[in-house]
Amino acid sequence: MSAPGYSFVSVSTAKPGRLDDLIRIASAPSERMEGRVPGLIARQVGVDRERNAVVVWTTYVEKSDLYDFLASDEGQEDHGDGNEMADIIESFEMYDLTPVSGRLPGDVPAA
């Protein structure tokens, strides 16, 4: 497995009654990237129903792995409909992270 060099994290909240829609639109981009974006090491989408929030976490070998894909026609088409997102998302924060510690699947510590 390649060493992780970049993680993208976003935290979104849904407008009232739209959490299931937010889960759907937040999950779709990274699901579509699976096997198509070189450098994608890991991905996870989690939901916190009490906070009406969805967290997306994807990890890549390099930051350019994600941003080069997003700049492509394929990446822009796969990322979703802006109008639908505006109807569903109440708030959105994103983070560009440099991994400094962690463990990914397959990186199991020795016993």
Side-chain angles (χ1 to χ4, degrees), residues 79-103:
H79 209 65
D81 178 295
N83 292 327
E84 181 183 34
M85 287 188 264
D87 289 342
I88 295 170
I89 298 171
E90 181 72 32
S91 67
F92 176 82
E93 290 184 76
M94 65 175 265
Y95 302 90
D96 290 312
L97 304 176
T98 301
V100 295
S101 176
R103 183 174 66 81

Side-chain angles (χ1 to χ4, degrees), residues 9-50:
V9 176
S10 68
V11 180
S12 305
T13 60
K15 291 183 178 176
R18 303 299 302 267
L19 182 59
D20 288 333
D21 292 323
L22 178 58
I23 294 166
R24 175 182 50 80
I25 66 169
S27 299
S30 65
E31 288 174 359
R32 288 188 206 114
M33 289 180 193
E34 190 80 36
R36 292 173 45 202
V37 176
L40 175 63
I41 297 172
R43 65 177 182 83
Q44 182 176 15
V45 177
V47 62
D48 182 334
R49 291 191 179 276
E50 289 183 19

Side-chain angles (χ1 to χ4, degrees), residues 3-7 38-41 59-67:
Y6 168 74
S7 290
L40 175 63
I41 297 172
T59 298
Y60 304 84
V61 175
E62 296 180 25
K63 183 176 182 176
S64 61
D65 294 328
L66 172 62
Y67 283 93

